[in-house]
Amino acid sequence: MAIKREIIEGTKIINEIESSNIKKTTFDTETKSLITEFNNGLVYEYEDVPHNIYTKFRMAESQGKYFNVEISKKFKYKRI
């Protein structure tokens, strides 16, 4: 597991990740918004990500692989 640090601030779960692609994620448990900051500096917001999907992402052996297969192409997103 490559999560370096986890912070919970109100309804937000913030994870700093050691990955070749992902630097940090912020998941809002109320809005189901997942903000993903990539190592190349780009930031995207994914909408309506279920909490159980984010939990599986956090617990995955490889967050990058899980993200690519289960989140990146399955949820509506926008660059922010």
Side-chain angles (χ1 to χ4, degrees), residues 15 18 27 33 49:
N15 285 291
E18 189 173 312
F27 180 72
S33 164
V49 178

Side-chain angles (χ1 to χ4, degrees), residues 41-52:
L42 296 177
V43 180
Y44 286 85
E45 179 179 9
Y46 295 82
E47 298 177 9
D48 296 319
V49 178
H51 192 226
N52 69 321

Side-chain angles (χ1 to χ4, degrees), residues 21-76:
N21 192 29
I22 301 170
K23 181 177 182 179
K24 180 174 141 182
T25 60
T26 303
F27 180 72
D28 190 314
T29 59
E30 276 189 352
T31 66
K32 298 180 184 172
S33 164
L34 173 61
I35 296 174
T36 305
E37 182 179 337
F38 295 93
N39 289 332
N40 64 8
L42 296 177
V43 180
Y44 286 85
E45 179 179 9
Y46 295 82
E47 298 177 9
D48 296 319
V49 178
H51 192 226
N52 69 321
I53 295 291
Y54 187 67
T55 298
K56 289 177 184 177
F57 163 78
R58 288 168 47 221
M59 304 312 287
E61 187 174 319
S62 168
Q63 281 77 28
K65 188 175 186 176
Y66 186 89
F67 181 86
N68 287 336
V69 172
E70 299 297 334
I71 297 174
S72 68
K73 304 293 187 257
K74 294 186 177 182
F75 296 94
K76 186 177 176 183

